[in-house]
Amino acid sequence: MSLLSLGYLAWDPNSPNQVEIDEGVETFGDSSPSAAQPPHIIFIMTDDQGFNDIGYHSSDIKTPTLDKLAAYGVKLENYYIQPICTPSRSQFMTGRYQIHTGLQHSIIRPRQPNCLPLDQVTLPQRLQELGYATHMVGKWHLGFYKKECLPTRRGFDTYLGSLTGSVNYYTYSSCDGPDLCGYDLHEGETVAWRHKGKYSTHLYTRRVRKILANHDPKAQPLFIFLSFQAVHTPLQSPQEYIDPYKDLDNVARRKYAGMVAAVDEAVRNITYALRKYGYYKNSVLIFSTDNGGQPLSGGNNWPLRGRKGTYWEGGIRGLGFVHSPLLRRRRRVSNALVHITDWYPTLVALAGGNSSMTEGLDGFDVWEAISEDKESPRYEILHNIDPLYNHARSGSLQEGYGIWNTAIQASIRVGDWKLLTGDPGYGDWIPPQILPGFPNTWWSLERHLEPKKSKWLFNIATDPYERRDYADERPDIVYELLARLAFYNRTAVPVRYPSEDPRADPSLNGGVWLPWVEDEEDEEWYDSRQTEQSDWRRKLKLSQSMSLLKSLQSKLLSNWI
């Protein structure tokens, strides 16, 4: 199949919908580095791209560039992310689990006076300390209620992108409800009105190419975080990317495939720019999605269980690969256990940082596992503990052997074993969408979770599809993993999930989503929030104690009878 048939068109300098393309990408894997300075780092993150939404996993979506990059690099097939946007980005930026930043519940919403905690030293800030030029392009979604939260205050020299979680790909309108919309495209700390009407995937690609063209690769190492809006809803792309998939009867899947094709072309052009401007031989390119795909919007995670927003493998096992001439063992698949928090210490070490710069993080330096096929230093992953998510009615402290309330949504992997408690989210297996329509009403036909159940145990090494539950057969392992959850929970900080602030309304701010709170106001809010959280934790502990007491009383009464 030709590139033209997939929507990879020859470059037309007069067309606003196309970016340069070159065949230089065809010679991947032929370079050996001899660099005196730290490597240039290009981290590309896509949004909502499912496990089955890349060519080397999929039968209906073609990604020739991503496939080639992965084939000549290292595919990460045991790589974990978070089930939704903000948590993955926060863990990438801090190297810490959500329970250690207060972002363990949901996402940061546009009107919430909340952002990535300012006491956290971010990855780009560390790289700046090590002499890097740092740039971010694309989706932020880590809060913006005051200026100190903005990307340019958190370690990036420059920024072009959207601050909220979802925008129109052309108009950059972002809505937090049907009647609460505002413009959301920013350059640095100003509103980027001049880019309105440009397709975001193309706009962001051009910005990356401009950064590469204007920087001297021999003078200073470079870090670029390209956080694509794609392939998150709304399903929008130029028609030329959708046309090659006209045989896909499912409309959402067809549009989604076109958006993936636009991303694939973008990565091709960026990789060509790395070669053209002299970066490639001393570069590390990392590709990652931020969470699982959403089948209702064209995404797919087959053959994994679950979807975006869930702690089943379909929600948290991510697409990922590393492409670099610096890799010692290339052209292979890695099953080393890797988590998104690991990029922080890994990249700081690659940049020449010492261990004191990553002390106390939850991530590990996994470069030797990726580059040399050595054993991963990581043995377990805390997927999350969310005390605010809807509690499972069938869960209790008694179900958790007196050490964990299984009503609470939580998940952990230790070695080959994975435990889920509470309500993990929708848990079916969804094959690729082939029917013409996929209306929301069909979800009433789904297979629901087992009744009166609040804990599941799977051997992920032998059963990555989570089809055999060992929770009843192996109570010993369940107990051990519950104990690990209890251990981690003792280290958790209070949840940061404030009420929405009406002052954030774009109609009060020139029709734009932008910071609306001053520093002094923030201190007052934080002090009151700390008091609320302390009261909540006391009530939770009291509730758990009462639950345990009732359980013991029931057992004593039963034994007496």
Side-chain angles (χ1 to χ4, degrees):
M1 186 174 291
S2 68
L3 290 174
L4 285 174
S5 68
L6 287 170
Y8 293 87
L9 308 179
W11 181 51
D12 176 0
N14 298 315
S15 171
N17 292 332
Q18 296 175 18
V19 286
E20 288 188 51
I21 198 164
D22 192 276
E23 295 303 315
V25 75
E26 300 300 335
T27 57
F28 288 148
D30 63 351
S31 302
S32 56
S34 57
Q37 71 172 16
H40 306 291
I41 301 168
I42 314 297
F43 195 101
I44 300 174
M45 179 178 285
T46 55
D47 199 340
D48 289 6
Q49 188 174 2
F51 190 78
N52 193 39
D53 297 334
I54 196 167
Y56 59 81
H57 284 168
S58 174
S59 60
D60 60 350
I61 287 183
K62 310 301 179 186
T63 54
T65 300
L66 297 177
D67 293 356
K68 187 177 288 292
L69 285 167
Y72 282 98
V74 176
K75 297 177 185 175
L76 305 177
E77 292 293 273
N78 203 9
Y79 170 53
Y80 286 88
I81 47 181
Q82 294 306 112
I84 46 179
C85 311
T86 296
S88 285
R89 285 166 174 77
S90 71
Q91 295 194 8
F92 170 69
M93 290 284 285
T94 67
R96 297 180 187 276
Y97 292 140
Q98 296 155 257
I99 63 165
H100 296 146
T101 60
L103 299 175
Q104 54 268 57
H105 179 66
S106 191
I107 59 174
I108 296 178
R109 301 191 180 278
R111 287 177 286 165
Q112 284 183 311
N114 194 14
C115 72
L116 189 70
L118 299 177
D119 60 352
Q120 297 292 321
V121 180
T122 67
L123 171 60
Q125 287 173 328
R126 285 297 190 206
L127 294 177
Q128 282 181 330
E129 294 174 19
L130 294 167
Y132 274 71
T134 59
H135 304 272
M136 181 175 174
V137 181
K139 176 176 171 176
W140 176 241
H141 209 185
L142 288 172
F144 59 92
Y145 75 104
K146 62 177 184 175
K147 287 186 176 180
E148 282 70 21
C149 300
L150 297 176
T152 47
R153 308 289 181 100
R154 304 311 306 271
F156 291 105
D157 298 330
T158 69
Y159 174 67
L160 173 67
S162 298
L163 300 174
T164 62
S166 176
V167 302
N168 183 288
Y169 282 73
Y170 294 95
T171 67
Y172 299 96
S173 174
S174 176
C175 299
D176 190 28
D179 300 317
L180 202 69
C181 301
Y183 187 76
D184 182 19
L185 185 66
H186 300 261
E187 190 163 5
E189 298 182 10
T190 62
V191 183
W193 293 107
R194 66 190 181 95
H195 295 303
K196 186 176 182 179
K198 300 174 183 176
Y199 186 59
S200 73
T201 301
H202 292 158
L203 175 66
Y204 295 158
T205 304
R206 290 191 184 101
R207 174 50 62 97
V208 172
R209 288 176 59 86
K210 183 177 180 180
I211 292 169
L212 294 172
N214 292 337
H215 185 82
D216 183 355
K218 296 181 180 178
Q220 185 184 22
L222 182 68
F223 171 61
I224 297 177
F225 177 32
L226 172 55
S227 177
F228 278 119
Q229 171 190 352
V231 287
H232 195 290
T233 52
L235 299 179
Q236 297 172 320
S237 76
Q239 189 62 38
E240 59 260 36
Y241 298 103
I242 300 174
D243 287 343
Y245 292 98
K246 60 185 178 182
D247 292 335
L248 286 180
D249 290 333
N250 184 272
V251 176
R253 184 67 171 169
R254 186 191 314 154
K255 292 180 178 180
Y256 183 93
M259 295 167 72
V260 174
V263 168
D264 190 72
E265 178 191 271
V267 175
R268 177 184 177 87
N269 293 324
I270 290 168
T271 311
Y272 168 62
L274 290 175
R275 287 184 170 277
K276 179 179 179 180
Y277 299 116
Y279 296 89
Y280 180 75
K281 290 185 179 181
N282 188 33
S283 69
V284 176
L285 187 150
I286 300 166
F287 181 88
S288 169
T289 186
D290 67 341
N291 47 248
Q294 172 54 276
L296 281 172
S297 303
N300 191 257
N301 306 298
W302 182 264
L304 302 180
R305 184 177 186 177
R307 65 186 184 193
K308 172 185 176 177
T310 76
Y311 287 95
W312 305 108
E313 292 291 286
I316 59 176
R317 185 177 285 221
L319 293 176
F321 64 78
V322 179
H323 179 91
S324 171
L326 306 180
L327 293 167
R328 293 190 176 182
R329 296 193 61 187
R330 288 175 273 172
R331 305 190 186 198
R332 64 181 185 86
V333 173
S334 172
N335 289 307
L337 189 60
V338 177
H339 185 248
I340 195 167
T341 56
D342 298 332
W343 295 122
Y344 188 123
T346 301
L347 298 182
V348 167
L350 272 179
N354 56 51
S355 58
S356 66
M357 301 181 80
T358 57
E359 188 174 358
L361 299 184
D362 295 310
F364 292 85
D365 179 357
V366 292
W367 182 250
E368 289 187 349
I370 294 172
S371 176
E372 303 176 33
D373 200 17
K374 293 186 177 180
E375 185 177 355
S376 173
R378 176 175 287 283
Y379 181 70
E380 68 180 23
I381 296 173
L382 175 67
H383 293 306
N384 195 27
I385 298 170
D386 185 350
L388 300 189
Y389 192 79
N390 299 331
H391 284 198
R393 293 183 180 181
S394 56
S396 67
L397 196 60
Q398 182 179 3
E399 281 290 311
Y401 305 117
I403 60 173
W404 183 257
N405 183 353
T406 61
I408 295 174
Q409 185 191 65
S411 181
I412 189 171
R413 176 170 169 176
V414 179
D416 294 338
W417 294 99
K418 174 184 174 184
L419 177 75
L420 303 99
T421 69
D423 179 3
Y426 173 83
D428 211 343
W429 297 265
I430 306 171
Q433 300 92 314
I434 58 173
L435 297 175
F438 205 3
N440 293 351
T441 53
W442 287 16
W443 290 99
S444 61
L445 303 176
E446 70 185 37
R447 291 194 298 274
H448 293 282
L449 301 177
E450 297 92 330
K452 297 183 180 179
K453 190 168 180 62
S454 63
K455 57 181 184 289
W456 298 259
L457 179 69
F458 301 97
N459 186 317
I460 297 300
T462 60
D463 177 27
Y465 317 121
E466 297 172 298
R467 291 184 177 273
R468 180 176 179 183
D469 180 8
Y470 287 89
D472 295 332
E473 297 178 46
R474 298 301 304 269
D476 55 324
I477 296 176
V478 170
Y479 185 92
E480 290 181 16
L481 270 60
L482 290 173
R484 291 302 294 166
L485 284 177
F487 164 78
Y488 277 113
N489 199 45
R490 289 193 291 271
T491 71
V493 301
V495 179
R496 296 171 60 95
Y497 197 74
S499 301
E500 294 178 336
D501 188 337
R503 293 174 298 171
D505 188 336
S507 66
L508 304 176
N509 299 289
V512 181
W513 291 105
L514 44 70
W516 70 91
V517 172
E518 300 295 333
D519 291 346
E520 296 77 12
E521 297 175 272
D522 179 58
E523 291 300 323
E524 295 175 3
W525 166 81
Y526 185 73
D527 289 341
S528 64
R529 186 64 181 170
Q530 287 290 84
T531 302
E532 292 175 11
Q533 291 292 347
S534 296
D535 292 342
W536 173 82
R537 291 178 74 87
R538 282 196 296 270
K539 290 177 182 179
L540 178 63
K541 288 181 179 179
L542 178 61
S543 173
Q544 291 177 333
S545 298
M546 292 298 293
S547 176
L548 179 60
L549 181 60
K550 289 180 181 179
S551 172
L552 292 173
Q553 287 176 336
S554 297
K555 287 183 179 179
L556 288 172
L557 182 61
S558 175
N559 291 338
W560 179 77
I561 291 174

